Amino acid sequence: MIDTNIIREKILDLAMKGKLVDQDVRDGNAKLLLADIEREKSQLIKEKKIKTQKALPAINQDEIPYEIPENWTWVRLDDIATFHMGKTPSKSQSEYWESEDYPWVTIADMKQSKIIKDTNTYVSESAYKNVFKKNISRAGDLLMSFKLTIGRTSILGVDAFHNEAIVTISNYLESEIIKYYLMYTLPILSNYGQQVNAIKGKTLNKQLIRKILIPIPPLAEQERIVEKIEEIFKILDTIDASQKQITDLSHLLKEKVLDRALRGELVNQNTDDGLAINLLNDLDNKYSSVILDDNNYSFPHSIPSNWSWTHLRNLCTTIGGFAFKSKDLKGLEGVRIIRISDFNEYGIIKQPVVRTPFIEKYEKFEILENDILMAMTGGSVGKNTIVKSIDEPLYSNQRVATIRVFDEIYPLYVFYVIQSEYIKNIINFSKNSFNDNISMKTIKNFPIPLPPLEEQKRIVEAIEDIFASINQLTD
C-alpha cells in the first residue's frame, strides 16, 4: 500500500521552498504584495475594524528555517492576517446547550484541508447572544487548531462558532488565494517555531500564533502552487479511496473465511479425527470443567456432526488482572505489567513499559505463551491478541482478561473463533451507552464451535494460508 501522507508532506515541503512550480519573472516580487497587504491593514485599523497590536520583533536570520526564492519574502502571520479565538460556553449553564441553533466546532469536527459542513455539537440562541456576542465565524473562513493538535486547518462550510482550541484566520486582503495557500502550509509552518507545554501536550498561545513564520511568494505564484497542490492531492485522494476499497475487501474476505471455517466448510472432515464430544468428555474427566449446556440455548449456526457446540468456559481458565496501584508502577526494575494500552492485534507493544517489584502473590497473574489477552473496558473493549512469545515475565493489569486454553485444545483455533463476527456482535451487544465494559461472565459464555483437535489444526493452517494471500492485497 502507498503511504499517501508521506507524499503529501513532500509536496507541501516542495511548495513552501519554491520548488513545486516554476518561478515566473512576470509575477513580480512578494514585497510588492506585502506592501499592498500593509496598506489594507492600516486602512482596517483606521476604520476600527481591527485593533492595533503590539509590534512584534523583526525576523532575524536565526529564525529562518530554510532558503526561499529571491522574489519571495518571509513574514509573520500577523503581517498578513488577523485571527480570533473561540470559546466554550459553560457546561453548567444548560440554556447554552438546550437547543441546536448554531454549529459549534471542535478539533474532532476538523478534517485536514476539508470543508466543515456539520458538527457533532451545537449551541443555543442564548449562547449566540450572551457568550459569543453574535460574533460568529462565517462560511468560507479558515480555521486552525493550536492546542494539542497543532496546525490542523479546515474551511467552514457553514456559519459556526468554535471552541478555544481553534482560531479563525482572516487575511487582510480577503484573498481566496492567500487563504488556501495558508490552509495548505500552516499545518507544517505552525509546528516549526516555539511551542509551550500544557497539561495534555504542546500548544501555541496568541503571541506564538502571531509570530508564525510564513514564506510568501507573489500572488500569481501562490495561485499556481495551490492549483498544483490540489491537482496532486486529488490524485492521492483517488489512491486513498482505492486503497480503502482494497482494505475493506480484505476485511470482508477474512470475515467470509472465518465464517466458512467455523461452519466446518473450510477443510474436509476426517473420520480418523474422532468426535469433539469425546474431547469434551476427556476435558471433563481431567479438569471437571465441562458444564452441560441448556438444551434451549440457541447457538449461532449449524456445524458438522462430529463437532460440538460448547462455551469458552469449558475449554480454558480465565483470569482477571490485578488492580496494581499507579504509584507502584513507576520503577525501572521488576516485572512488566501489561495494561490494555500495552497490546494490539499483533501482540505486546514494546514501549512504553511500566513495572512493579516482584512479589510472589502476584504470580497467579503471570502471562504465559499462547495466552489470549482481551480488553474488558474502554474504547477498545474486546481488543484481543494471542501471546506467541515471551522474553521476560509479564503480569496482567486489571480489566485485562487472560484466556488460558487447556493443553488439549489448539490455542490459535480459539483465537480465530474470537475474531468471528458473532463474537464481535456479542461484545458490542454487551456494551451500553454508559460504559464500554464486558464482564468475565460474558467472556466465559462465548459460544465455541468445537471440532476434534486435529481438525482444529488443519483449520488454523488453512486460515493462515488464505490470510497470507489476502494480506498481499494490502502490502
Side-chain angles (χ1 to χ4, degrees):
M1 301 287 273
I2 299 171
D3 190 339
T4 56
N5 287 329
I6 292 177
I7 300 175
R8 285 184 174 87
E9 290 174 7
K10 182 61 177 177
I11 294 302
L12 294 176
D13 181 69
L14 293 172
M16 294 185 300
K17 293 177 179 177
K19 299 178 180 179
L20 185 64
V21 300
D22 294 332
Q23 276 78 54
D24 188 330
V25 293
R26 294 172 296 182
D27 294 340
N29 195 296
K31 290 181 180 178
L32 298 176
L33 171 62
L34 186 58
D36 290 341
I37 294 172
E38 288 174 347
R39 282 192 292 272
E40 183 62 27
K41 180 179 179 181
S42 297
Q43 184 63 29
L44 291 171
I45 291 173
K46 184 178 179 180
E47 295 173 0
K48 297 183 179 181
K49 292 182 178 179
I50 61 172
K51 295 180 180 179
T52 302
Q53 298 283 342
K54 182 180 178 180
L56 293 173
I59 300 170
N60 63 60
Q61 195 63 33
D62 293 339
E63 290 181 271
I64 296 175
Y66 51 81
E67 293 184 359
I68 54 176
E70 290 182 359
N71 64 334
W72 291 33
T73 188
W74 283 101
V75 300
R76 297 194 189 279
L77 181 61
D78 189 64
D79 295 325
I80 61 173
T82 184
F83 62 88
H84 71 263
M85 297 180 174
K87 298 178 182 178
T88 298
S90 172
K91 297 288 186 178
S92 63
Q93 300 293 110
S94 60
E95 65 268 24
Y96 295 153
W97 307 94
E98 62 188 4
S99 59
E100 297 185 350
D101 298 320
Y102 298 92
W104 182 71
V105 181
T106 68
I107 294 175
D109 298 309
M110 298 175 65
K111 301 294 183 288
Q112 179 57 47
S113 304
K114 301 297 183 183
I115 295 175
I116 301 171
K117 298 179 180 179
D118 197 8
T119 59
N120 294 316
T121 310
Y122 288 75
V123 295
S124 68
E125 183 74 21
S126 177
Y128 169 71
K129 294 177 180 177
N130 300 317
V131 177
F132 297 101
K133 309 299 182 184
K134 302 183 180 181
N135 184 24
I136 194 167
S137 296
R138 297 299 179 183
D141 282 351
L142 173 63
L143 303 187
M144 183 185 80
S145 63
F146 66 94
K147 290 184 178 180
L148 308 183
T149 301
I150 295 176
R152 184 180 297 173
T153 55
S154 298
I155 302 290
L156 274 178
V158 292
D159 293 353
F161 299 111
H162 53 77
N163 69 13
E164 66 278 6
I166 299 168
V167 290
T168 296
I169 298 174
S170 304
N171 71 83
Y172 297 123
L173 291 183
E174 297 184 352
S175 164
E176 288 291 294
I177 296 170
I178 295 175
K179 178 177 74 176
Y180 279 92
Y181 179 77
L182 291 174
M183 180 184 75
Y184 286 118
T185 58
L186 277 173
I188 296 175
L189 296 170
S190 60
N191 282 277
Y192 274 154
Q194 183 182 359
Q195 299 173 359
V196 295
N197 292 319
I199 293 175
K200 295 184 179 180
K202 298 290 185 180
T203 185
L204 300 176
N205 57 32
K206 186 174 182 179
Q207 286 301 102
L208 293 177
I209 296 172
R210 292 180 66 206
K211 290 168 69 175
I212 293 172
L213 288 177
I214 312 287
I216 289 292
L219 196 61
E221 187 173 350
Q222 287 186 49
E223 184 172 16
R224 293 198 303 278
I225 289 170
V226 169
E227 288 175 350
K228 179 58 70 173
I229 288 172
E230 293 185 340
E231 175 189 339
I232 296 172
F233 280 18
K234 185 176 181 180
I235 295 170
L236 294 176
D237 287 343
T238 301
I239 293 172
D240 284 339
S242 297
Q243 291 186 156
K244 184 180 183 303
Q245 287 181 334
I246 293 171
T247 300
D248 291 345
L249 175 61
S250 69
H251 289 158
L252 180 61
L253 288 173
K254 288 180 178 181
E255 288 174 11
K256 296 298 184 185
V257 169
L258 287 178
D259 183 66
R260 288 197 62 192
L262 303 185
R263 294 175 184 270
E265 298 172 356
L266 192 62
V267 300
N268 292 327
Q269 279 75 54
N270 188 334
T271 56
D272 293 338
D273 294 337
L275 302 175
I277 189 63
N278 293 334
L279 178 56
L280 286 173
N281 289 334
D282 291 342
L283 293 176
D284 189 35
N285 290 333
K286 184 173 181 179
Y287 302 104
S288 299
S289 63
V290 177
I291 302 172
L292 293 178
D293 297 310
D294 186 338
N295 290 331
N296 293 323
Y297 188 91
S298 178
F299 288 104
H301 53 72
S302 61
I303 54 176
S305 58
N306 64 329
W307 291 29
S308 292
W309 275 107
T310 188
H311 289 281
L312 183 61
R313 63 176 180 259
N314 297 327
L315 308 177
C316 66
T317 56
T318 49
I319 306 162
F322 183 76
F324 293 97
K325 295 180 180 178
S326 297
K327 66 181 180 66
D328 296 330
L329 300 180
K330 296 180 180 179
L332 299 177
E333 303 293 332
V335 180
R336 183 177 177 186
I337 305 303
I338 300 301
R339 304 157 298 177
I340 289 174
S341 59
D342 290 326
F343 64 92
N344 58 26
E345 60 182 301
Y346 304 108
I348 303 295
I349 299 170
K350 297 299 182 184
Q351 296 290 342
V353 172
V354 295
R355 299 182 182 277
T356 192
F358 172 80
I359 300 177
E360 189 173 348
K361 70 176 181 178
Y362 296 151
E363 283 188 307
K364 65 181 179 179
F365 302 104
E366 184 174 5
I367 297 168
L368 306 178
E369 286 188 4
N370 292 318
D371 281 351
I372 299 168
L373 306 181
M374 177 173 286
M376 298 178 65
T377 195
S380 59
V381 62
K383 174 182 69 172
N384 60 86
T385 194
I386 186 164
V387 182
K388 294 185 177 180
S389 63
I390 293 177
D391 53 14
E392 65 170 316
L394 307 171
Y395 290 169
S396 59
N397 197 33
Q398 63 179 337
R399 306 306 291 163
V400 175
T402 300
I403 300 167
R404 184 165 300 151
V405 176
F406 295 141
D407 292 341
E408 293 78 7
I409 302 296
Y410 197 37
L412 276 169
Y413 174 77
V414 175
F415 172 70
Y416 282 119
V417 175
I418 291 173
Q419 312 313 306
S420 67
E421 279 302 297
Y422 69 81
I423 295 293
K424 291 178 183 178
N425 290 337
I426 291 171
I427 293 170
N428 289 331
F429 183 77
S430 299
K431 299 190 296 185
N432 57 56
S433 59
F434 299 103
N435 52 55
D436 289 338
N437 287 309
I438 183 171
S439 68
M440 191 65 82
K441 180 180 179 181
T442 299
I443 294 172
K444 290 180 178 180
N445 282 336
F446 285 163
I448 308 292
L450 186 68
L453 179 59
E454 292 306 313
E455 188 173 349
Q456 294 174 38
K457 295 176 181 178
R458 293 199 304 276
I459 289 171
V460 168
E461 182 179 6
I463 288 172
E464 296 192 335
D465 284 347
I466 297 171
F467 278 17
S469 297
I470 294 172
N471 289 338
Q472 291 179 3
L473 294 173
T474 56
D475 288 342

